């Protein structure tokens, strides 16, 4: 289910972005405080992730300090340690060289959470190959989640219902897939965040996705008389209007039924996280960039027939869609609500 994200491009952008912000902020400052971190960048998720990474590192360091000679499980000791950590949290001061890795990690995680929340959770869950993922830890991290938070809460809720206090990474990924499958909340609109990041360093979304490139496409042409080419030609040899009628019939969605659906203003905002993953992987060969481009182009069409014809000519033929499949039927249903 993972999309074809270009993690190297995300890493490079995150470093450039962080260098720019850091050089500006620390031009006349020695350190950054906790209150300044909370308001560091206008995308609040970045600031929250900085604090999340900070406290996670701090927690690891605290665990390393524990000695076999003392009873750290004693209630009095635990309370004293908690009070000490609360006191320190009110007096955060971080130097430039120590702040940069926190910021780079926060930017990377935010970009993942914005453009592919599944990849964000998959990456973080996969880090626990040898250790169990604790429900308490997931619940604690909820306060740091702002973008696409319903997915995080759905994962926590699923663990709670199953009374699973801890999961292996394999079990957690299965729970994640199930949480996505049951989630009805739409994903966040990434265009707003794209604009906010671009104010600092121009953000080209296309670079965040792997592309086979024209060389690969050109190196794998279909023979003119091949069986596959004939099949495609035969399948789409009818006139456009006839083809549109055929698809409406095959999908089980008549034009009358489409007229009965409530019109929506945006296809992208109406698609849920679960649908997004399904459409990208089943209809667009895992290419999130192609999916986003298709949605943008569809929004520019003037009516249902025009949008459907565009979809057929540019994607259905190319990816050899089965027009009566569940994925195509569901995608056409969303399209029908945009252009009733």
């Amino acid at each position: 289910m993972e999309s074809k994200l270009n993690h190297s491009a995300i890493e490079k952008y995150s470093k450039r972005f962080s260098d720019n912000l850091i050089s500006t902020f620390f031009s006349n400052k020695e350190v950054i405080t906790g209150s300044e971190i909370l308001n560091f960048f206008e995308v609040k998720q970045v600031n929250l992730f900085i604090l999340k990474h900070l406290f996670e590192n701090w927690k690891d360091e605290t665990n390393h300090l524990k000695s076999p000679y003392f009873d750290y499980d004693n209630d009095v000791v635990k309370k004293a340690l908690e009070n000490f950590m609360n006191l320190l949290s009110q007096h955060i001061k971080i130097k430039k060289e120590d702040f940069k890795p926190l910021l780079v990690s926060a930017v990377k995680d935010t970009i993942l959470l914005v453009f592919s929340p599944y990849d964000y959770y998959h990456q973080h869950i996969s880090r626990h190959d040898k250790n169990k993922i604790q429900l308490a830890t997931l619940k604690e991290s909820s306060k740091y989640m702002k973008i696409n938070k319903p997915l995080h809460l759905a994962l926590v809720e699923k663990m709670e219902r199953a009374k699973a206090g801890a999961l292996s990474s394999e079990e957690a990924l299965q729970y994640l897939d199930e949480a996505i499958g049951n989630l009805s909340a739409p994903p966040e609109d990434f265009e707003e965040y794209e604009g906010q990041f671009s104010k600092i360093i121009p953000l080209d979304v296309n670079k965040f996705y792997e592309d086979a490139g024209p060389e690969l496409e050109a190196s794998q042409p279909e023979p003119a008389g091949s069986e596959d080419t004939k099949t495609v030609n035969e399948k789409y040899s009818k006139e456009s209007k006839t083809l549109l009628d055929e698809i409406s019939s095959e999908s089980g969605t008549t034009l009358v039924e489409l007229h009965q659906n409530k019109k929506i203003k945006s296809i992208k905002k109406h698609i849920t996280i679960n649908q997004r993953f399904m459409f990208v992987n089943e209809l667009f060969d895992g290419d999130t960039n192609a999916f986003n481009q298709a949605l943008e182009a569809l929004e520019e069409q003037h009516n249902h027939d025009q949008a459907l014809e565009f979809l057929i000519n540019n994607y259905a033929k190319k990816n050899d869609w089965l027009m009566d499949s569940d994925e195509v039927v569901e995608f056409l249903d969303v399209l029908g609500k945009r252009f009733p």
Side-chain angles (χ1 to χ4, degrees), residues 126-234:
S126 298
R127 292 176 183 174
H128 295 80
D129 284 337
K130 297 181 180 179
N131 300 318
K132 292 281 188 177
I133 299 170
Q134 303 294 325
L135 172 59
T137 302
L138 275 178
K139 292 179 69 173
E140 174 69 16
S141 62
S142 296
K143 63 185 179 183
Y144 298 107
M145 308 304 298
K146 184 173 179 64
I147 296 175
N148 287 316
K149 188 171 183 175
L151 179 54
H152 185 93
L153 297 178
L155 180 59
V156 170
E157 182 181 1
K158 184 161 186 62
M159 288 184 67
E160 287 180 325
R161 286 184 177 180
K163 297 182 179 179
L167 295 174
S168 67
S169 59
E170 183 177 350
E171 291 171 328
L173 288 174
Q174 182 180 344
Y175 272 52
L176 176 64
D177 288 340
E178 293 174 0
I180 289 174
N182 297 325
L183 193 64
S184 60
E188 296 260 0
D189 186 356
F190 64 79
E191 290 183 352
E192 175 186 354
Y193 301 111
E194 183 181 354
Q196 290 171 325
F197 276 103
S198 293
K199 292 178 184 178
I200 308 302
I201 296 289
L203 189 155
D204 184 356
V205 181
N206 296 327
K207 292 182 180 180
F208 288 167
Y209 296 93
E210 295 173 353
D211 189 356
E215 295 83 1
L216 181 58
E217 294 177 3
S219 65
Q220 298 176 336
E222 289 289 343
S226 70
E227 182 178 349
D228 288 342
T229 303
K230 288 180 180 178
T231 301
V232 173
N233 288 336
E234 289 171 1

Side-chain angles (χ1 to χ4, degrees), residues 56-68 72:
E56 285 175 346
N57 292 341
W58 184 21
K59 188 174 181 180
D60 288 340
E61 292 174 2
T62 304
N63 288 334
H64 290 317
L65 290 175
K66 291 184 178 180
S67 167
Y72 281 87

